[in-house]
Amino acid sequence: MNDLQRRLSDRFSALRDSRQGAVFFVEHGLDAVDLDELRAGVRRRVQTHPFESGWWDTNDLPLLVAATEVGYRYRGSGTDFWPLLEEELGVEVSPLGRTRIKELFVRAAARFRGARPPTTAWAEAFHLIAWPIAHALLPLEFHRPLAATLANLRVSVADADEATLYRAIRIAASLPTARFATLLEDVGVVVSLTRSLLRHERVEFSAEIVARLSRDLEADDLARRGVAVARSIQRAARAKAGGAFQLPAVTRTKGELQLRLANEVLLLEARFPVLDGETAERLRRSLRRRRFAPQLWGATARVPSDQLLSGLPFSLKLTAVPDKDTPLFTDLEAAEFDAQDLAVLHGFELELAPPHLFALSTDGEVARQVLGNTITGHRKYWALLGEDDDAPRGARAVGEAGPLQCFELDPASADGARALAQLGYDVRLGVSVRFAGTPSLGRGGDVPTFVAGDNRVLVPQRLTGDAALVVDLNGQRAEARATQIVRVTVEPGEHRARVSSETDTREYAFRGVGAPPPPNAPIRVELRSEERTVQALLGGRLSFVVDSAAPIDGLPLTVDLESTGRVFSATGPLGPVPQPVSAEHPVMTALLSEDVRDHVSGAESATLRARVGHIASAAWELERVVRPCWWESGGAPKLLSEGGPLRFGVVSADDPVRAPVEGAAGSGTYLLAPIGLDQLDFTAAAPFTTLCVAPRRAQLRDLAIAGASKPRLERRRRGTRAGVGLEDLTEAYLRWTLAETRSVIGEIHRGQVTARIEEWMTEVCCGPEWTQAEGTIPRRSAWGILEQVCQELALGRDEYVVLTDEQDAQMRRLAVAEIRRSLPALWVRVGPPSELDDSDYEELDRACAKAYEELSKQHRARGQEDIADDLEGADPGESPDRWDNAFSRVRERIELRALAAMLFPSSSAARLMALDVGVMSADDVADELFKWAKAARKSFAGDAPPRDVLKASYALWVAPEVALSLDWRAALDTLVAERAVARATRYLALRAREARWGSA
């Protein structure tokens, strides 16, 4: 004991002299063997030296360390600390001995500047044990609440000062217990613990105690998860400027498992509750932008993000049983999520640790997971066991779900009851009731909420003879027999309905609230364009997107256009959501016919309405842009302004880059553009107030622009002599792309001229090799490209059935349509690596067989029986390798890999390829480009371009009308000087256009 006293005295003296803060006796630095020897020594000494003796005045430290270790492990209200210490020391501690131990703590704290309990109500009520618990620094009981507090922090630990960090910790610790509130009173301790656990900073604690706390936090599942959440959020928040950032409160999004038997196949399904509308929408955009489709625990096929957030059950295709401590999302860090999204995603929980028990529904097809260990004996159950577990005796095998096996257990049978008992379930045959309506009252899980004033009906179950159930609610009792019911009126507040029989009692909790807010619409229609004008509609620059909480296909889309008392309408299939609808979509193409354009082009306003079946609708008021100058085309065109007519010139489609020149227009298609406008009076956008005039009638060959000769291109702002530079091309591009038109012919021809100028701009910015590679890109959706690839590989064909070219095209179209219907998430799962299994390849072959059957029906309806018989007998089938080869070709084309390979720095290509720009606004893309530029700044000739320049560069390609409101001329310097920026913005612009083409 003397040696231990001396060692501990030296240890605590060294700690006191090396720091300014308090010393904690849990920082003794002893290992497990030394601690056992210390306890044994104290146990021996208390037998001969009572606590009240003066011997402990000079040998107090071993006793205080032993008491502190009990305080570290202690979990209780304050009344059972001393029994634990008595068991530790093997002696009864009298009230006088308890006071004596406190006195020894006070004296030792004075010698070594030890910790003192904060002045709180709990510390004053339990003033004796407050000393060993205070010296335990962070007892085990505080690990979980501290971890939850750290995960709910709303400031950056790296940037916040002590006062700011402490204030944030107090806010994050919602409703602390009395004992935990005592710990929170010590500013220095709480702040130092936070910094040491989240930043691994050197603080005024010994390295041994910090390591011990870290180990114990890791050993507790909930505490480890809370600290992991906090560390991930802090890492993601370091890039933000300043100490404050917005994070949602940490919530648990706990998923549920269920089993489903469909077509004799057992499916393991999961479901997560629906998040609140704003959080769900923000998270859905973030997941889609990063194409995040996780493998749960790293052991399932990838799950599309829409399914995670839909609130609907989705299938889990397990490849292995995950370990108990495996996180649900194993690849969050690589996805580079914002701190706000990490906080929500880390709250997702789903437990898969066999054995699991599922209560079977009455139809025998769906079984829902049982929570808790007490079950009723009045229904059957499915037990989900590991592949190495022994089958329960006498149990019927239901099927297999990957590496798991499922058996049916009936508590009514002796074998079933024995198996359930071995699995740890308590079978009871007591109270059995049913609550009519949804949600139903239950004893486990979330407490259901009802509208105040609603009537709930309780129906007794399995009662015989004169047996009855007694229902007690808010002091009122009601009795019900087998043929009776009990009506319960919901009142505001928390309630518990107590249902009793002669042998058992159960309580059902529920809550009464006011009327709930209206639910989120299942289908949403949102405008994507920033310009809401008639010109944007006719120019093809207006688009909207149809989205849903879950992937849905086959909905009808109707678009109405109302102008000057007339209504034009077009209807067609929408396709799978989310679905962007632009001018290239078949419904919009049918709506904006030549007659409609002629009528709307002169209107001052119009109303555009979009309806998705009878589920959702939206309407937008479109106005004609009131510009400083405008065109009047009744008869000879005139350019007018408030000050009167203005000068304008002609630009021929055969020489589209030339500046406008006054003179006769001539024949063919040409552009009318202002000349000599003062930008101080007419704004910088006025020179691009143009009008495209085309013949009323034209043959197909007249729409070609082969006569437009390519000028000599120069990689500079302005061209010299006969050459043209980037600014010359951009001005011509804006004149043509923003021009008003009065006919379909003019719109087609204007688009061709714009495409030619854009090709020249691309060559100047990105290089001729880029332009050549870009010319090979197919302007089709992934499903359209799959049709083309199936033709190239003769995929899905029965070689014994001879098809004409027309029949072959019809068969491929029908097959791809069936694949799109049966495997809507195909492109998320094809890899690399591919996650398709044998059932998926069978579905692909089945789709081709259905295509032959449908084609056979069409020919039989025409009376062509022989051809129909040949088609009906077709038996197409392909190997998985051939399907994988086809999918690889499709992915290569839709991801523009030929262009992605030319991006530099080459290490940045994967980041840009992962973005889903089809659902991103110009501002979203600008944010991602700015992050990319900062990461790739070493590859630039100068500094990384600012965000406004990157946004203007991108807008030039995809939204010229938006670029006019930005400093697009400043962006030209960057596009000329930095080829990496030009290629990156051009690549993302092509991906955005691909999303529009994919809607057709």
Side-chain angles (χ1 to χ4, degrees), residues 813-833:
R813 186 164 53 253
L814 292 171
V816 171
E818 178 61 25
I819 294 172
R820 187 176 185 179
R821 186 198 63 78
S822 59
L823 297 173
L826 175 66
W827 303 115
V828 175
R829 301 178 54 208
V830 295

Side-chain angles (χ1 to χ4, degrees), residues 270-274 306-315 549-552:
R271 183 188 71 84
F272 290 100
V274 178
D306 280 343
Q307 292 186 353
L308 283 177
L309 304 178
S310 67
L312 303 175
F314 56 88
S315 178
I552 303 176

Side-chain angles (χ1 to χ4, degrees), residues 384-507:
L384 193 64
L385 308 178
E387 57 184 344
D388 298 329
D389 295 334
D390 295 333
R393 180 179 177 182
R396 181 181 70 86
V398 179
E400 296 180 350
L404 304 177
Q405 49 185 341
C406 180
F407 300 91
E408 184 172 294
L409 302 178
D410 187 353
S413 68
D415 290 336
R418 186 183 305 108
L420 288 168
Q422 291 174 350
L423 292 175
Y425 290 94
D426 180 17
V427 180
R428 295 189 180 183
L429 301 173
V431 173
S432 178
V433 296
R434 177 174 59 88
F435 290 89
T438 56
S440 178
L441 295 181
R443 297 199 305 158
D446 296 334
V447 176
T449 301
F450 305 102
V451 177
D454 189 10
N455 285 320
R456 313 302 299 176
V457 177
L458 182 150
V459 183
Q461 301 259 293
R462 301 180 178 88
L463 291 180
T464 58
D466 295 331
L469 292 179
V470 177
V471 181
D472 189 336
L473 177 64
N474 299 331
Q476 297 182 354
R477 294 169 58 88
E479 204 174 84
R481 288 178 168 78
T483 60
Q484 299 173 329
I485 63 173
V486 176
R487 296 187 181 274
V488 177
T489 301
V490 178
E491 297 180 358
E494 305 284 342
H495 305 281
R496 284 186 174 273
R498 184 182 180 89
V499 184
S500 306
S501 67
E502 293 182 356
T503 60
D504 198 4
T505 299
R506 292 186 179 182
E507 289 188 349

